[in-house]
Amino acid sequence: MNEEYKHYLECRMEFLAKGDDDMHPQHQYSLMVERIPHELRSDKALFNHFNSLFPGKVHSACVVLNLPNLEELSARRKRVLRRLEKSIAYYEATGNKLTHIVGRHRISCFGVESMPIIPSGG
């Protein structure tokens, strides 16, 4: 076990020193910065800040924002879009507009949400 660990350390040190031929050299020098001040939370502002600290040494900067509600809002948008497309298709096929009733429960089966179609004239 001790010999395997020594071999691992040798390989690891060689990798950290030289990198991997299949890996872009920039990946060896990338780092993650947390708790960035609000005024630096754009790619350009962060790049300019680090470039002022290390002139000519910064390749790029990329700010990734933590948006916990983004997936939920995206899913809601897809549901609304699907309902709108369904209403448009119904209108084009029949000439009747659908009525939306606020608060009416929808039916979900196998992950597909549906609701009874209620023509506006009926």
Side-chain angles (χ1 to χ4, degrees), residues 70-86:
L70 184 61
E71 286 186 36
E72 179 184 325
L73 292 171
S74 178
R76 182 169 186 246
R77 180 188 176 279
K78 285 180 183 179
R79 285 193 309 269
V80 170
L81 179 62
R82 192 170 42 242
R83 290 180 202 147
L84 177 62
E85 289 172 343
K86 184 177 180 180

Side-chain angles (χ1 to χ4, degrees), residues 48-89:
N48 290 339
H49 175 72
F50 280 112
N51 199 44
S52 70
L53 296 174
F54 310 102
K57 303 286 184 181
V58 180
H59 178 274
S60 61
C62 180
V63 176
V64 179
L65 300 175
N66 183 11
L67 303 172
N69 298 336
L70 184 61
E71 286 186 36
E72 179 184 325
L73 292 171
S74 178
R76 182 169 186 246
R77 180 188 176 279
K78 285 180 183 179
R79 285 193 309 269
V80 170
L81 179 62
R82 192 170 42 242
R83 290 180 202 147
L84 177 62
E85 289 172 343
K86 184 177 180 180
S87 296
I88 291 170

